[in-house]
Amino acid sequence: MLNHYTMTSDGKKMPFVISHQVEVPFGFPGAGLYRYLQLTNQGVHCPDCGFWTTKVHEYHPKQVIAGCHNDTPIIDHFNHRRFVCDVCHHTFMEPLPWLKPYQRITVIGRQALLHATADRTFKAVGEAFGRSGQNVRVHVLEDFSQQPELSERSTPLLIGIDEISLAKGKGKYRLVMYDLSIPWRPQLFVMHESRRKDEVIKLLQELPQPERVLAVAIDMWRGYKTAVQTCAS
Ligand SMILES: [Zn+2]
């Protein structure tokens, strides 16, 4: 084994070793840390009858975004195994403790992707993470849907106001506000149908503690500037 890390996730030891890895540095085409994993567990329990099996039915090459390394994605390659049970003859994919079924991105990988949207467009992030800009947008919107209500969260010190297009090229723009208190972790916390000045003022006034806000980052649209000035005075 070239690199034998002890991988842990949620305190559990990961059942793989890294047999080989290649780094393509930031700024180069296809930048990323490519890791080639070998799963170390010999077998699994059958989910149907519970008996132990070590008989592999077939191998499925799998590629998973596992995190971020020097501002580039960590891309894991491994053979995902379909086992066959000696007792009930069912075949099943082995469960992967660090990955939800059918997912190609880990929780940490998803966080890295979301954080990468701090200073890059969805399209650029998609290119870096080997997926479409639309897919990046879906992750951002999903993350937003899990956020607490505005009234249940503390008001950010730094806010960014921007627009987001919900569907590619459809022109369905929404006003969005990001919590930029941690600049490399933008957190979408408001989405609104209109970016009219009076509606932006209303949104800013709805913040539970508007006096907390130190700065608001906006683009060149005059309506935002006037709205922020109105609320700041
Ligand atoms: Zn079985």
Side-chain angles (χ1 to χ4, degrees), residues 92-135:
F92 56 93
M93 296 305 291
E94 65 181 315
L96 302 168
W98 71 96
L99 196 64
K100 288 179 190 155
Y102 307 109
Q103 295 251 303
R104 291 188 300 116
I105 189 163
T106 64
V107 172
I108 296 169
R110 188 163 177 273
Q111 281 169 358
L113 178 143
L114 291 171
H115 296 170
T117 61
D119 57 1
R120 276 168 271 176
T121 63
F122 292 165
K123 186 164 173 276
V125 173
E127 278 165 11
F129 282 76
R131 49 199 61 224
S132 66
Q134 175 64 22
N135 181 269

Side-chain angles (χ1 to χ4, degrees), residues 46 48-50 85 87-89:
C46 170
D48 292 311
C49 70
C85 175
V87 179
C88 72
H89 305 297

